[in-house]
């Protein structure tokens, strides 16, 4: 008992942030078979089926071989899905097991909690993005990078955005069903219709306008611009839109966290 | 002088309309070992939830070591440690990982956290299990893990919400010893428990909460002095059809061999044996029906229920 330290300590928010990040990384690497492996397998199948088998018959898209055209979209698709999935499942399971109370009783500010979970989601999103990029190298001769700055900033901001969306979903979720409804019925259709597999220039004008209401179109196109220098939409608009969505989602998440939505009765 | 815990006019009404707290006032002195007792659903956990920021209050003030939870929540939280009633850690995480993470949330760096965690885990008999997933621990070990986690940032006020529930007697006694030593080192402890023997032997001051109101708030000695009658259970070799009368004691037959005797405060127990000897009743053993605090507790809670029923019926 004499060895037990009973002197209180004044700690820093940076340590708290690192702790949450470390906890998140430990979680998704511990269950890598569920988190890291599936996107690698799924995306390999996409490359084989859409890229090699069907793609060779499609010819070119926007002046590019079909395989090259779909690579940026598929990388972005895995980043979006994994950033979202990591936060929604980690935060909801912390709520479900009540281990979130460990953070709630501690002096860690709510913005650090949000930043920590989002940071964890971004890291998983980027890790799977890198894995899919490496997998894609087996299917195309060389990956060209048109603008590395655009490439990195778009993937990072998109990952932040969808990690926050996952956090918001987890705040409202009351059951495990609630954390699969949005990914299945909203995120997947928006991603598939988000210009991953086709250029929206192929669509009739009316459907091009409708497509522009899908925020994922902007992210996929801006990312593709970073790789290939080709985009259906303005890069400036894409950045502006992503930033606005991030600000809106961050404000909503912090407001609900401060109120204790789904956490405090 | 600053109190370790000060609660005034604390109200909580849940969205369902249930009024869990009806304006409680409570003060806990620095260094105290304080019992907060009450039947299930009395409002104890709601009060603890509000103090530790897990439940939103409807009205009232809470100060932890002089820090108002409305205006100075960070400081209030730094001074507070909580060992909740329900297991609330991630079952897939390791024992040491859980404790180190908790230190991290308080901003304690990994090196310092490791230095603090080892003696805590050793003291609580968890060091050998530090790399095990928490789900692999026994019930008693899980409770001790929550104590280690609650103490990692060295809080000045520790709230223990039924820390020994479901723990065997040997382990319970070692946990009492641990809590006592912690209190002697200066940590103020607020304890809720259903083991009234635990509260009686550990705590110096006590509050009893019932139907969201404090029905008693005093020191343990004064409270126990209020006990005007004790009931004893006597095991005999056999009881006659009719029990002795005019003995000065209220006697009841529980079964063919067991007798319950009410003894008023100040009246000795010798007369019981004299009266029973006259009828040739041999007493084999004698014990308290319940411990002293338990008798008082039951009486206070029952009278509280009666008055609330009267209010409802009236």
């Amino acid at each position: 008992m004499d060895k037990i330290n009973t002197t209180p300590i004044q700690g820093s928010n940076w340590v708290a942030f690192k702790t949450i990040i470390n906890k998140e990384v430990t979680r998704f690497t511990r269950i890598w078979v569920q988190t890291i492996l599936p996107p690698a397998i799924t995306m390999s199948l996409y490359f084989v089926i859409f890229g090699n088998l069907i793609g060779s018959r499609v010819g070119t898209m926007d002046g590019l071989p079909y395989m090259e055209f779909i690579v940026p979209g598929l990388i972005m698709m895995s980043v979006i899905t994994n950033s979202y999935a990591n936060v929604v499942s980690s935060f909801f399971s912390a709520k479900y097991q009540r281990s979130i109370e460990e953070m709630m009783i501690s002096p860690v500010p709510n913005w650090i909690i949000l930043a920590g979970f989002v940071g964890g989601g971004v890291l998983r999103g980027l890790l799977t993005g890198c894995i899919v990029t490496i997998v894609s190298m087996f299917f195309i001769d060389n990956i060209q990078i048109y603008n590395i700055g655009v490439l990195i900033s778009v993937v990072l901001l998109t990952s932040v955005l969808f990690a926050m969306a996952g956090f918001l979903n987890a705040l409202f979720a009351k059951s495990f069903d609630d954390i699969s409804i949005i990914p299945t019925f909203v995120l997947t259709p928006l991603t598939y219709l988000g210009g991953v597999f086709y250029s929206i220039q192929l669509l009739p004008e009316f459907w091009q306008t409708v497509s522009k209401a899908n925020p994922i179109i902007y992210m996929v196109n801006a990312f593709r611009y970073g790789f290939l220098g080709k985009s259906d939409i303005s890069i400036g608009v894409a950045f502006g839109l992503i930033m606005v969505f991030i600000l809106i989602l961050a404000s909503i998440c912090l407001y609900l966290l401060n109120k204790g939505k789904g956490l405090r009765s | 002088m600053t109190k370790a815990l000060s609660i005034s006019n604390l109200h909580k009404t849940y969205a369902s309309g249930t009024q869990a707290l009806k304006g409680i006032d409570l003060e806990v002195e620095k260094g105290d070992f304080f019992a907060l007792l009450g039947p299930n659903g009395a409002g104890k956990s709601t009060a603890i939830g509000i103090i530790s920021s897990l439940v939103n209050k409807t009205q009232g003030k809470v100060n932890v070591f002089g820090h108002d939870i409305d205006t100075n929540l960070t400081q209030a939280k730094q001074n507070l440690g909580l060992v909740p009633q329900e297991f609330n850690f991630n079952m897939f995480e390791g024992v040491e990982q859980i404790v180190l993470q908790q230190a991290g949330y308080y901003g304690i760096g990994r090196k310092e956290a490791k230095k603090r965690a080892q003696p805590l885990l050793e003291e609580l008999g968890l060091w050998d299990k530090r790399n095990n997933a928490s789900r692999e621990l026994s019930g008693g070990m899980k409770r001790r893990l929550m104590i280690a986690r609650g103490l990692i940032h060295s809080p000045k006020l520790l709230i223990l919400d039924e820390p020994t529930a479901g723990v065997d007697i040997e382990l319970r006694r070692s946990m009492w010893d641990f809590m006592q030593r912690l209190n002697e080192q200066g940590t103020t402890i607020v304890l809720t428990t259903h083991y009234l023997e635990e509260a009686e032997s550990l705590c110096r001051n006590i509050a009893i909460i019932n139907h969201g109101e404090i029905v008693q708030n005093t020191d343990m000695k004064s409270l126990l002095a209020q006990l005007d009658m004790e009931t004893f259970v006597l095991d005999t070799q056999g009881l006659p059809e009719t029990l002795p009368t005019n003995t000065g004691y209220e006697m009841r037959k529980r079964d063919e061999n067991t007798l319950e005797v009410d003894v008023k405060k100040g009246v000795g127990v010798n007369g019981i044996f004299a009266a029973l000897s006259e009828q040739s009743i041999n007493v084999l053993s004698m014990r308290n029906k319940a411990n002293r605090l338990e008798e008082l507790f039951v009486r206070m809670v029952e009278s509280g229920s009666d008055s609330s029923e009267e209010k409802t019926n009236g």
Side-chain angles (χ1 to χ4, degrees):
Chain A
M1 176 63 89
D2 295 338
K3 287 188 220 157
I4 293 175
N5 195 334
T6 51
T7 317
I9 194 165
Q10 292 293 323
S12 74
N13 286 339
W14 174 240
V15 173
F17 175 72
K18 277 198 301 184
T19 305
I20 302 173
I21 291 282
N22 191 38
K23 172 189 166 77
E24 287 301 288
V25 172
T26 308
R27 189 193 80 90
F28 75 68
T29 48
R30 187 182 60 225
I31 50 170
W32 63 275
V33 176
Q34 297 171 45
T35 55
I36 311 291
L37 194 59
I41 292 172
T42 312
M43 292 305 156
S44 299
L45 290 171
Y46 277 125
F47 288 130
V48 170
I49 297 165
F50 290 101
N52 266 4
L53 301 178
I54 298 174
S56 57
R57 289 164 187 257
V58 172
T60 59
M61 182 77 67
D62 255 3
L64 295 161
Y66 189 63
M67 179 66 105
E68 272 186 48
F69 180 85
I70 63 168
V71 164
L74 289 176
I75 296 170
M76 191 53 113
M77 191 162 133
S78 67
V79 171
I80 288 172
T81 315
N82 282 281
S83 303
Y84 190 97
N86 196 70
V87 183
V88 77
S89 90
S90 175
F91 193 75
F92 181 72
S93 78
K95 253 175 69 170
Y96 186 78
Q97 296 190 67
R98 292 176 61 181
S99 60
I100 192 65
E101 291 177 2
E102 293 174 341
M103 290 181 209
M104 288 168 65
I105 62 160
S106 74
V108 53
N110 286 333
W111 67 270
I112 293 279
I113 295 178
L114 177 63
F117 274 98
V118 168
V122 168
L123 287 174
R124 176 168 150 197
L126 296 183
L127 177 64
T128 50
C130 289
I131 291 170
V132 173
T133 307
I134 292 166
V135 170
S136 74
M137 289 174 177
F138 291 100
F139 297 91
I140 49 176
D141 296 334
N142 65 332
I143 291 181
Q144 56 163 314
I145 293 173
Y146 179 77
N147 187 327
I148 187 87
V150 170
L151 190 81
I152 291 174
S153 50
V154 168
V155 75
L156 201 64
L157 289 172
T158 304
S159 184
V160 168
L161 173 57
F162 281 93
M164 263 182 206
F167 191 91
L168 192 61
N169 187 173
L171 271 177
F172 280 100
K174 289 187 174 133
S175 69
F176 281 99
D177 285 343
D178 295 341
I179 65 170
S180 63
I181 287 172
I182 303 283
T184 309
F185 297 107
V186 180
L187 206 55
T188 307
L190 284 182
T191 313
Y192 276 80
L193 298 171
V196 172
F197 298 102
Y198 58 89
S199 163
I200 59 167
Q201 307 294 342
L202 297 179
L203 302 173
E205 203 166 318
F206 172 76
W207 289 109
Q208 280 190 34
T209 313
V210 171
S211 290
K212 284 180 181 169
N214 177 0
I216 292 177
I217 282 273
Y218 297 85
M219 295 155 207
V220 167
N221 272 281
F223 191 61
R224 185 174 288 131
Y225 178 84
F227 267 112
L228 309 169
K230 303 243 177 198
S231 171
D232 293 337
I233 46 94
S234 150
I235 301 303
V237 171
F239 270 107
L241 206 73
I242 297 171
M243 291 304 292
V244 168
F245 270 115
I246 287 176
L247 287 174
I248 292 172
L249 281 180
S251 308
I252 296 172
C253 286
L254 280 175
Y255 171 75
L256 294 173
L257 262 182
N258 290 335
K259 246 184 102 182
K261 170 73 190 169
L263 300 170
R264 283 197 296 269
S265 47
Chain B
M1 195 181 145
T2 311
K3 306 283 180 193
L5 178 65
S6 167
I7 294 173
S8 66
N9 195 30
L10 191 62
H11 287 259
K12 175 65 190 178
T13 306
Y14 285 101
S16 61
T18 308
Q19 221 182 332
L21 296 175
K22 299 170 184 167
I24 64 165
D25 297 296
L26 199 65
E27 285 192 336
V28 178
E29 297 288 341
K30 278 182 191 172
D32 200 357
F33 206 135
F34 191 94
L36 180 63
L37 306 183
N40 289 330
K44 299 184 304 285
S45 293
T46 299
I48 289 170
I50 292 171
I51 298 164
S52 50
S53 317
L54 297 175
V55 174
N56 289 326
K57 63 185 165 65
T58 308
Q59 192 190 324
K61 285 271 168 206
V62 176
N63 280 273
V64 178
F65 276 87
H67 303 292
D68 189 328
I69 64 164
D70 292 325
T71 56
N72 207 354
L73 183 60
T74 303
Q75 287 299 317
K77 283 177 167 183
Q78 284 283 5
N79 285 290
L80 182 72
L82 173 69
V83 178
Q85 200 180 116
E86 310 278 346
F87 300 132
N88 69 342
F89 42 76
N90 187 326
M91 293 290 171
F92 301 100
E93 287 175 351
V95 169
E96 192 180 23
Q97 186 193 354
I98 287 170
V99 177
L100 295 180
Q101 271 170 196
Q102 190 66 24
Y105 302 147
Y106 283 85
I108 302 169
R110 193 137 181 111
K111 208 170 155 192
E112 170 66 19
K114 276 196 161 248
K115 253 197 285 179
R116 285 167 173 250
Q118 184 171 350
L120 258 177
L121 293 175
E122 281 174 349
E123 179 72 35
L124 289 159
L126 292 169
W127 183 244
D128 292 342
K129 301 274 180 189
R130 65 188 179 280
N131 296 320
N132 286 48
S134 57
R135 67 179 185 279
E136 294 165 9
L137 300 181
S138 67
M141 283 179 177
K142 284 177 183 159
R143 295 235 163 260
R144 282 179 280 154
L145 170 58
M146 293 206 294
I147 294 177
R149 188 186 60 180
L151 284 171
I152 191 68
H153 63 291
S154 313
K156 289 201 251 174
L157 171 64
L158 180 67
I159 297 178
L160 297 158
D161 194 0
E162 298 188 31
T164 55
V167 168
D168 69 51
I169 187 68
E170 194 185 347
L171 185 56
R172 203 184 309 158
R173 286 186 188 279
S174 78
M175 283 167 79
W176 292 359
D177 178 52
F178 178 78
M179 290 186 258
Q180 237 160 357
R181 282 183 289 143
L182 199 65
N183 179 242
E184 280 161 15
Q185 286 193 352
T187 307
T188 308
I189 296 178
V190 173
L191 172 75
T192 81
T193 179
H194 285 295
Y195 301 111
L196 299 182
E197 180 197 356
E198 184 169 287
E200 189 178 335
S201 65
L202 292 172
C203 301
R204 290 186 284 280
N205 291 295
I206 182 169
I208 296 176
I209 187 167
N210 195 22
H211 299 294
E213 289 170 309
I214 301 279
V215 292
Q216 186 66 254
N217 185 6
T218 182
D219 62 284
M220 191 67 79
K221 273 186 193 162
S222 312
L223 181 68
L224 294 175
Q226 288 178 23
L227 191 65
D228 55 2
M229 190 178 72
E230 276 184 271
T231 304
F232 292 92
V233 178
L234 282 74
D235 295 313
T236 69
Q237 276 186 323
L239 290 168
E241 282 292 311
T242 50
L243 292 173
T245 49
N246 299 324
T247 57
Y249 300 99
E250 185 70 38
M251 294 188 179
R252 292 176 301 280
K253 228 170 152 176
R254 202 198 259 181
D255 58 44
E256 284 174 6
N257 297 311
T258 319
L259 188 63
E260 276 187 11
V261 184
D262 295 336
V263 181
K264 285 187 181 140
K265 191 177 176 183
V267 178
V269 293
N270 289 349
I272 301 174
F273 298 105
L276 295 178
S277 291
E278 273 180 27
Q279 299 255 328
S280 306
I281 300 169
N282 284 329
V283 178
L284 299 173
S285 65
M286 178 177 174
R287 64 182 186 277
N288 273 82
K289 185 179 179 189
N291 84 331
R292 297 175 301 163
L293 181 58
E294 194 170 321
E295 286 200 18
L296 272 168
F297 177 79
V298 170
R299 247 186 263 171
M300 280 171 186
V301 168
E302 278 178 353
S303 70
S305 302
D306 291 347
S307 60
S308 67
E309 273 168 31
E310 280 164 23
K311 277 181 208 164
T312 317
N313 296 335

